[in-house]
């Protein structure tokens, strides 16, 4: 039995392989030490933020798993407000780039229908993540926090809140909000205090 490779088959296989490589690179990028929130940050830019090693980590436990709580050093209100604004803008900018990349595949006349379908699924996923982040941020604000920033991936959540302190009750509230609106287990929820 002979197996005949056409240009079309080779092109499809190459594109599938490229998508896997891009996905792997994206996951590797998201899991690096200085980019747990998914931002493009240079080492020099980190000087204005407290180092991760300077933060005190406290683990809160419940029946379903554990949550990591990271408390930062005190800063004035203007710096904290600027922090939330800048990171929300950066998050939105990164999502827009990703959305545009997938939209270009959909709009391309040369893209195969299977890739257009994959691109449409990825766009739906981006929109869903963005909507969930917004809902969770608003629910956290409704619980009395001054500001909130949420970063979701398929299997983890990072929540940064502005408050004077994080009590076990407030950690439980945030954890409950995230777990109710996502299928992320408590062990994959990281809560950071930006005061």
């Amino acid at each position: 039995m002979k197996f005949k490779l056409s240009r079309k088959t080779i092109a499809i296989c190459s594109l599938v392989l490229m998508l896997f490589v891009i996905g792997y690179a994206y996951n590797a990028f998201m899991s690096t030490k200085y980019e747990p929130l998914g931002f493009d940050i240079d080492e020099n830019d980190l000087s204005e933020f407290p180092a991760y090693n300077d933060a005190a980590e406290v683990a809160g436990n419940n029946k379903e798993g554990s949550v990591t709580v990271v408390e930062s050093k005190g800063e004035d209100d203007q710096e904290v407000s600027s922090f939330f604004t800048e990171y929300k803008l950066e998050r939105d900018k990164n999502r827009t780039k990703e959305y545009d990349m997938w939209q270009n595949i959909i709009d391309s006349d040369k893209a195969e229908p299977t890739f257009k379908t994959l691109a449409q699924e990825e766009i739906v996923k981006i929109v869903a993540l963005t909507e969930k982040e917004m809902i969770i941020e608003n629910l956290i604000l409704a619980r009395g926090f001054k500001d909130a920033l949420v970063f979701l991936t398929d299997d983890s959540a990072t929540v940064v809140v502005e408050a004077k302190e994080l009590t076990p009750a407030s950690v439980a509230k945030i954890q409950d909000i995230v777990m109710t609106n996502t299928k992320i287990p408590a062990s994959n929820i990281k809560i950071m205090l930006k005061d």
Side-chain angles (χ1 to χ4, degrees), residues 46-177:
L46 294 173
S47 61
E48 63 187 77
F49 299 108
Y52 181 76
N53 294 333
D54 292 341
E57 283 199 22
V58 181
N61 296 313
N62 75 11
K63 339 176 205 184
E64 299 182 34
S66 66
V67 175
T68 303
V69 178
V70 179
E71 298 180 11
S72 68
K73 295 178 181 175
E75 298 176 18
D76 69 17
D77 289 341
Q78 188 176 15
E79 287 179 16
V80 172
S81 177
S82 174
F83 169 84
F84 283 95
T85 303
E86 288 177 23
Y87 275 77
K88 284 179 184 178
L89 289 172
E90 185 69 26
R91 177 189 64 192
D92 293 344
K93 186 173 86 173
N94 287 339
R95 286 273 165 79
T96 301
K97 284 180 186 177
E98 188 177 1
Y99 179 91
D100 290 343
M101 178 191 75
W102 292 115
Q103 189 61 49
N104 288 339
I105 292 173
I106 293 170
D107 295 340
S108 173
D109 295 333
K110 297 178 182 178
E112 294 293 322
T114 55
F115 292 112
K116 288 186 178 194
T117 302
L118 175 66
Q120 289 170 340
E121 290 171 2
E122 289 298 319
I123 285 177
V124 168
K125 192 166 134 184
I126 291 167
V127 170
L129 281 177
T130 303
E131 183 180 1
K132 284 181 185 178
E133 288 171 344
M134 186 180 69
I135 289 169
I136 293 169
E137 287 172 355
N138 288 331
L139 289 171
I140 290 171
L141 292 176
R143 291 292 192 147
F145 290 93
K146 293 179 184 177
D147 209 344
L149 187 58
V150 177
F151 301 95
L152 296 176
T153 64
D154 290 337
D155 60 353
S156 69
T158 301
V159 181
V160 183
V161 293
E162 179 181 355
K164 293 187 179 188
E165 65 176 344
L166 277 176
T167 63
S170 61
V171 168
K173 287 178 189 178
I174 295 168
Q175 179 183 4
D176 182 55
I177 290 169

Side-chain angles (χ1 to χ4, degrees), residues 5-42:
L5 290 177
S6 67
R7 285 184 173 191
K8 187 175 182 179
T9 305
I10 293 172
I12 289 172
C13 291
S14 299
L15 288 173
V16 168
L17 182 62
M18 188 172 23
L19 283 174
F20 282 116
V21 170
I22 289 170
Y24 177 79
Y26 178 75
N27 285 334
F29 171 77
M30 293 295 286
S31 65
T32 60
K33 178 179 178 184
Y34 291 116
E35 297 163 342
L37 303 177
F39 296 137
D40 298 326
I41 299 176
D42 292 335

